[in-house]
Amino acid sequence: MPSDMTFRTLLRPAALVMALALCPLVAAAQEPDERDLQALRFYMNENNEQAIQSELRRLQIQFPAWTPPADLDALDETVPSEAIKRIYSLIADEDYAGAREAIAETGSDYPDWSPSSDLLTALSLAESQSEFNQAVRAGNRQAAIRIARSTPALLSCERVNNAWQLAEQYEALGDASSALVVYRGIAGSCTDVDVLIATLEKSAASANAAQLAELADTMRVRVPNAEGRLSVVENRLRAGLGAEPRELPGVPLSNAPLTALEVPLAPTPEVRPSARPANLGVVPVRRSAPVSTGSGSGSSGGGGGTVSSSVARAAQAGDWQTCLALTANARAAEDISQRGWCAFNAGRPMQALRDFRSATANARNATLRRDSAYGMALTMMRLRMVNEAAAVAASTDFTYEQRLEVESEILDARGVAAYNRGEYRRAIGYFNEYERLTGRVRRDLAMLRGYAYMNTGQKAKAAAEFQRLHDQLATPETRAALSTALR
């Protein structure tokens, strides 16, 4: 039996013809009502851009005097935006009782309205964060642990300070093994180099030399571009534990100065979801921009203007839902660009792409235009629009860090796609260029390159690739690959 969506699709041409035929009868209706907008809202919730545009065309034919708002999200509101914005502002100001009262008042004024899951999540998470902070300040360690464990979202990478404080609560209770579980969660999920280094240093309070080595190895696999910095820190911490230094990738045993090892590279792109650990609910999330300046990279993107203080607080705290709510009716390009970063981080790539395109087209200065185009390219990569992202990169004067990140992601995607198509020589070329561009090749890509060598008859190169990976970190996968290459 056809689904409801199938019937909806089949009936659309007939509905359109009927709307045109009855146009004189409905001329009195100047704007679509709630029922008319139901299909459009459905497609918006599904992020179906093609269906959204088709539905907009249908509505404009049926209601010639109606002009869709520049921000389509405004159509998803059944109450005035000011009422919703007030609730989010109360949450941002930590007036949770006032926010609940405002929700109740709005529900009373608009009986058909109920708070969205995003709004309730934002309120619940903000309250949990406040309770966790109070428990930590009061030294109520058991309460702090209970709150953190019952609210995994508190332990996301952009709220990494919570995870550090959770580990400290365990350490204060003498539970070093639980503290190490927290540190492993960060090491296996976050990609910010400074966060990883700080985590490694903090872990020395609970870890022995072997556990420290395990954490550092996980971090080096996670972010290969930072292996030199991580190795220096590891050997320094090993010395503090009275352990011998390790011969580590990226640094000699002499422990060369950190400044001699630092390379101005952008963070490694996120590992694909299928390969991402999920310890403790810690999830890698690209950080939002400082809202009044823009430098590109994953920690920037809102340059060229300023936004309101409440939006700034929400973005800097990683509270994407509040940021989106407060910028729902944004018109200035800098506000729209900031909303794009919040949508990107909130996992709403279609909305982010709309916002970045708008901000790029309407930016009042070159910095905002460049940073918005950078966000657009990253969003396209998330949507697997590789050719479109390459076109943006070719036409934009990115900073070195921005270009490095975008182009490395493009090479990554094209190399993997070529490998999956069986075009092994082409895949090797992409992976080699990725290594030339970044100075490193990520472990998962190196494994694919090794198998591409195998599939093109280059067994010696395959064996050398697998041996190098095995020497860095021996796993069942490297053992199997090496065994196959040496047959």
Side-chain angles (χ1 to χ4, degrees):
M1 178 180 293
S3 66
D4 181 64
M5 278 299 297
T6 303
F7 278 124
R8 194 184 296 235
T9 302
L10 292 173
L11 291 173
R12 173 154 298 135
L16 181 56
V17 171
M18 184 175 293
L20 291 170
L22 297 179
C23 195
L25 299 178
V26 299
Q30 298 297 313
E31 293 190 355
D33 59 20
E34 294 297 310
R35 183 179 302 175
D36 297 317
L37 294 172
Q38 283 180 352
L40 179 60
R41 288 172 176 155
F42 173 82
Y43 295 132
M44 289 170 61
N45 289 333
E46 293 293 307
N47 284 329
N48 189 334
E49 189 67 27
Q50 184 176 358
I52 290 172
Q53 296 305 319
S54 176
E55 187 67 15
L56 283 172
R57 286 193 294 271
R58 185 191 72 80
L59 288 169
Q60 287 177 291
I61 290 173
Q62 185 174 354
F63 303 97
W66 176 69
T67 300
D71 178 13
L72 292 180
D73 289 333
L75 295 174
D76 205 25
E77 298 171 353
T78 57
V79 300
S81 60
E82 291 76 11
I84 304 299
K85 185 174 181 179
R86 175 171 172 260
I87 296 171
Y88 277 103
S89 294
L90 290 168
I91 295 173
D93 292 338
E94 301 185 9
D95 185 359
Y96 308 123
R100 292 190 183 281
E101 183 178 346
I103 290 173
E105 289 175 355
T106 305
S108 176
D109 293 339
Y110 302 90
D112 294 333
W113 175 82
S114 60
S116 68
S117 60
D118 284 348
L119 190 155
L120 294 177
T121 297
L123 175 56
S124 176
L125 184 58
E127 284 187 300
S128 295
Q129 180 69 69
S130 178
E131 292 171 359
F132 178 76
N133 292 342
Q134 291 173 16
V136 170
R137 285 195 296 266
N140 191 342
R141 298 185 178 92
Q142 294 290 358
I145 291 170
R146 174 182 52 77
I147 294 166
R149 292 184 63 174
S150 64
T151 315
L154 288 177
L155 305 177
S156 57
C157 286
E158 75 274 11
R159 294 174 182 260
V160 71
N161 193 58
N162 292 336
W164 288 335
Q165 289 183 323
L166 175 60
E168 290 170 1
Q169 306 312 303
Y170 282 124
E171 287 166 349
L173 294 172
D175 189 353
S177 61
S178 293
L180 282 172
V181 169
V182 178
Y183 292 132
R184 290 189 188 106
I186 300 170
S189 299
C190 299
T191 56
D192 185 292
V193 178
D194 293 330
V195 165
L196 294 178
I197 288 175
T199 300
L200 192 61
E201 291 176 334
K202 290 175 182 294
S203 72
S206 298
N208 57 33
Q211 292 164 334
L212 188 74
E214 176 195 349
L215 278 171
D217 286 342
T218 299
M219 293 174 182
R220 276 187 287 269
V221 171
R222 186 85 177 129
V223 188
N225 288 334
E227 65 180 14
R229 292 180 63 188
L230 289 163
S231 296
V232 168
V233 173
E234 181 189 352
N235 273 340
R236 173 167 56 78
L237 294 172
R238 289 177 67 86
L241 294 172
E244 292 295 320
R246 295 173 73 197
E247 187 171 356
L248 295 165
V251 59
L253 283 176
S254 59
N255 272 348
L258 180 62
T259 53
L261 298 165
E262 291 181 327
V263 180
L265 295 178
T268 301
E270 287 182 13
V271 176
R272 291 176 184 78
S274 60
R276 181 186 301 147
N279 295 337
L280 290 170
V282 180
V283 182
V285 179
R286 189 180 305 278
R287 290 179 297 168
S288 177
V291 294
S292 60
T293 61
S295 59
S297 190
S299 60
S300 66
T306 59
V307 296
S308 70
S309 59
S310 56
V311 174
R313 287 197 301 271
Q316 290 166 353
D319 188 351
W320 316 126
Q321 303 304 333
T322 298
C323 172
L324 289 170
L326 294 177
T327 55
N329 298 314
R331 293 293 179 267
E334 54 267 25
D335 295 336
I336 295 172
S337 182
Q338 180 64 56
R339 185 175 62 198
W341 286 106
C342 293
F344 182 93
N345 284 296
R348 297 183 177 182
M350 292 302 298
Q351 180 181 344
L353 187 56
R354 290 199 304 269
D355 288 338
F356 285 133
R357 276 177 169 155
S358 174
T360 301
N362 298 293
R364 294 178 293 181
N365 59 67
T367 299
L368 179 60
R369 186 177 303 109
R370 179 200 66 201
D371 289 350
S372 299
Y374 170 65
M376 182 163 57
L378 290 180
T379 306
M380 287 173 170
M381 289 305 301
R382 180 168 286 187
L383 293 168
R384 299 183 182 180
M385 300 166 62
V386 181
N387 292 335
E388 291 84 350
V392 172
S395 61
T396 306
D397 186 19
F398 287 140
T399 67
Y400 171 76
E401 290 81 5
Q402 290 172 340
R403 183 161 300 281
L404 183 65
E405 184 168 7
V406 171
E407 292 187 358
S408 64
E409 287 200 22
I410 291 171
L411 290 168
D412 177 343
R414 286 179 168 171
V416 172
Y419 182 92
N420 289 336
R421 292 194 304 268
E423 299 175 0
Y424 300 117
R425 294 189 184 278
R426 186 183 295 270
I428 291 168
Y430 283 128
F431 296 147
N432 287 345
E433 180 61 16
Y434 179 99
E435 185 174 25
R436 185 200 67 76
L437 180 69
T438 65
R440 298 284 188 275
V441 61
R442 231 178 39 241
R443 189 177 178 87
D444 58 333
L445 300 185
M447 285 291 289
L448 286 183
R449 184 168 65 178
Y451 280 111
Y453 283 137
M454 287 278 291
N455 287 318
T456 54
Q458 303 178 72
K459 277 199 166 186
K461 286 188 175 181
E465 187 82 277
F466 294 141
Q467 185 67 61
R468 178 179 63 82
L469 294 170
H470 189 71
D471 291 343
Q472 287 178 356
L473 180 64
T475 66
E477 290 77 14
T478 58
R479 289 190 189 94
L482 193 54
S483 175
T484 302
L486 294 175
R487 285 175 188 167

